[in-house]
Amino acid sequence: MDHLDQLEAQSIYIFREAFARLKKIALLWSLGKDSNVMIWLARKAFFGRLPFPALHVDTGKKFPEMYRFRDHYGKEWELDLRVEPCPPIDAVDPTLPPAARSAARKTEGLKMALTKYGFDGLIAGIRRDEEATRAKERVFSPRGLEGNWDVRDQPPEFWDHFNASPPQGAHLRIHPILHWTEADIWAYTKRENIPIIPLYLSQNGKRYRSLGDQDITNPVASTASNIDEILIELEQTKVPERAGRALDHETEDAFERLRVAGYL
Amino acid sequence: MNMIVTPASPATPNGTNSMPNGTTRPQVRIVIVGHVDHGKSTLVGRLLHETGSLPDGKLEMLKAVSARRGMPFEWSFLLDALQTERDQGITIDTTQIRFRTNSRDIVLIDAPGHAEFLRNMITGASQADGAVLIIDALEGVRDQTRRHGYLLHLLGVKQVAVVVNKMDRVDFSADRFKAISDEISAHLNGLGVTPTAVIPISARDGDGVAERTDRIDWYKGPTVVEALDRLEPARPLEALALRLPVQAIYKFDDRRIVAGRIESGSLIAGDEIVIMPAGKIAKIKTVENWPVTPVATRQGAGRSVGITLDRELFIERGDIISHVNVAPRETRRLRARIFWLHDKPLAKGDQILVRSGPKESRATVVAIEKAVDPGELESRENKAIGRNHVGEIDISLSSSIAADPYTENPRTGRLVIEVSGRIAGGGLVLSVDAGQRAVPVDIVPVESALRPDERSARYRHNGAVVWLTGLPASGKSTLAKALERRLFTNGGSPILLDGDTVRAGLNSDLGFSAADRSENIRRLAEVATHLARNGHIAIVAAVSPAREDRATARRIADSSFREIHVATPAEICEERDPKGHYKKARAGALASFTGIGNDYERPEAAELVIDTSTRTVADAADEIEQMLKTTGVLFDEVVDLAANI
């Protein structure tokens, strides 16, 4: 059993626990590399199908390539796809810096979808290595009634025993790929031949490391035009993965504020 | 950790790493523990350096950092630097640091954070094969040192190398070293842990870490690196007996897939298996997967798999699949050594929820056998275990589980305790008080000689469990008998299982506690289901007040279950009182009587609801018959065979 086999087996275990212990769950599909791997892992866990909805909280500002990808693979993978809109920018905390404010629309859209469907569990593709506040996450992470995250009062997780009883009306975030790294995601995408959005590959000396909304995501300098080259690049680079995400760089705590409020 | 050390080859769960040339090196997981400031970070920095595990430029960087702060070179900045990198989100996972000795790949489990030490110790060090316990030569053995020694004992970590650090501060005194060595050895021996070595070192200068320097020329034992080189890898999980705890049963298509993760051992299609705690036996038909299925190769510990069996058996989440002659024990009683994290102490008599793998079981704390503050190590009391304390407890479970002592299987020998939906503690199974079915080898269910369609052709019906639930004196038995007569007259094979009748014989060992009532219902359901599988219509008349117990019965009987709620109003039941129970209960002479109290939980989705106060028995029996027709138990044209005789 190699490294990727181990990661896969652990993620499958988490998926099956979430499906067994929660009543109504959905998987958040952001169309990016991580959530595509996540869908793949879920289909492994459930022998070819996703037995719960895939939720795309749509800001309406994704790249055209991303929408094409969604429409194509949503059908091909036979997903129960729910596309949910986000409220206008006016509905979002005006004290946030511009990019964070733009991103925060997604949190509001997420809350609306939660109310609409009454999910008690949301499966999200965050990874510990992406960002410092994500590193502190639990695999089964409880959220308050407002979708907020209390980083100071997280329940203990022992071995593979997770806390799966959200308080009435609240929900859990489940993180089946928390223990993966960016390089793991690419190595697995290659091994399993999982389709990707071409924006991740270099064109004219630039590529996207991480895909978000068009207005707040920038490409990084790169010549990596296939996954092998991406893997080599990742071994050498000192540039953090989210360098191209504007909201991470506005103020030191912008991202933490977003996450405490319920952002992914 | 890819940034700071040479890329480690991927680990395998059986404790070996594949090498490019095809040979394997054992992998050993260790944790470094000890009192604050006794030199943990310095030793880690030194070890990485001495084993050539630092990437280019790291040493220069550390020198620069030290110089900038106007300090002598400090190894502990290495870990601090990693910490900073992690905070900035650049470095990948520093909780496990890898380096190599001559013969071993070492995974160093980093458990930082004093406030949460116990949690981190458990989550991290519980996976360690060995530990390094560090003691400051000047300060000697402290409370925290003893506490950590105890925690290692708690977690079953038997290989402990002790290092006495900062020997430079005591002029490398052999006497001082011996005094500390004797004290800690006595302490560990008292816990049943024999130190593999006690090593005098100066982590900062390197004495005793990878080399025996002149300053400790009186010391003849191994260096730290040599001691690590001698640690034995954990017994490979794959070499242990098969344990596949069932996470779920999926029926997305025509396959009925039993899904779970192999915690130990291995399996392959064709294996004969036993499902515990029930002791049912089957063969693995296929190992299913996606996108390519089935899988022909042997699957080992760590894999999340799905299997299909050669026969339809009732299996549920939490059951454990193993090979027939090495099954775990079936029990309702466990002794466990636990650590407690909840604000409210765990006390004798507490009702708790125990999780053992995917199995969830309600339980009662029968006894607190020991309660210890690991800092002071004195057994304080035996009534309760306080927050951050450890103890040994005896628990009684409300349903049977399959379990192993942790010494036999570290994976299935673990449990956690939940309070109000949140994990409040956890620990290791010390012993399993085996039930009567400790050895399930000889249980091979024998199938009937007849096919179900042969029986249904004769009886003109399919097998079923018709479950009548309702308050005492609601009319269940009367209705059941009328139905029995009706079905028999029509040539069918009804069998009456009245709650009281069964309690007089099969269930005469059971009382009226909640646990006994559950067991009463379970047995009734098992017997009824057996009859239904053999083509009969088992008519059960039992108060069965608990919704959960009836849900269990429905699970056992599965699709043959038909629930009828005999919903006669309570006051009418009491008025009837044919057995005089209500009268006795009102007089206080009948404890645990359902009806006077409010403990009857009405069914929410019964197949049929009948109020016997407003209709005749014949009319009610008609309606039941009709329901049995529409739900596929009785066939359409009922032939009155008896009339033709």
Side-chain angles (χ1 to χ4, degrees), chain B residues 91 104 159 268 282 298 303 344 349 375 397 399 462 485 525 606:
Chain B
T91 311
R104 301 272 187 273
Q159 304 183 82
I268 192 165
R298 179 165 285 280
R303 293 262 182 202
K344 186 178 164 289
L397 303 156
S399 56
N462 290 315
R485 169 62 64 191

Side-chain angles (χ1 to χ4, degrees), chain A residues 1-6 8-10 12-17 19-21 39-40 43-49 51 129-132 135-136 138 142 153-165 181-183 192 235 237-238 240-241, chain B residues 3 10-13 86-90 92 116 119 122-123 126-127 247-248 250 252-253 255 257 259-261 263 288-291 300-306 317 339 341 355-358 411 414-416 418 421-423 425-428:
Chain A
M1 216 173 149
D2 68 18
H3 178 61
L4 292 178
D5 291 334
Q6 282 184 28
E8 178 189 80
Q10 178 67 4
I12 290 174
Y13 183 84
I14 296 166
F15 266 115
R16 289 174 177 171
E17 282 302 289
F19 189 50
R21 292 187 62 191
I39 288 182
W40 194 265
R43 292 167 85 200
K44 285 227 179 190
F46 306 113
F47 304 95
R49 68 201 63 214
D129 76 323
E130 274 178 287
E131 197 277 326
K136 298 188 196 325
R138 300 289 198 241
D153 184 29
Q154 300 192 74
E157 263 176 8
F158 293 112
W159 301 305
D160 288 328
H161 284 285
F162 310 118
N163 294 279
S165 311
T181 65
E182 186 183 6
E192 301 284 317
E235 259 180 46
T237 186
K238 300 274 180 194
E241 182 177 2
Chain B
M3 262 192 70
T12 53
R86 174 165 50 183
D87 288 348
Q88 291 169 357
I90 298 166
I92 293 161
E116 292 196 327
R119 286 187 200 179
I122 298 306
T123 40
S126 62
Q127 284 139 38
Q247 271 185 292
Y250 299 134
F252 298 127
D253 43 38
R255 294 170 295 177
I257 300 177
R261 182 174 61 191
E263 296 295 342
E288 299 289 341
N289 208 338
W290 182 86
R303 293 262 182 202
S304 287
V305 297
R317 180 173 154 85
F339 41 91
L341 290 157
R355 292 187 179 282
S356 162
R411 303 304 292 259
R414 296 169 175 170
L415 54 80
V416 296
E418 221 177 84
R422 194 169 161 138
I423 292 171
L428 307 169

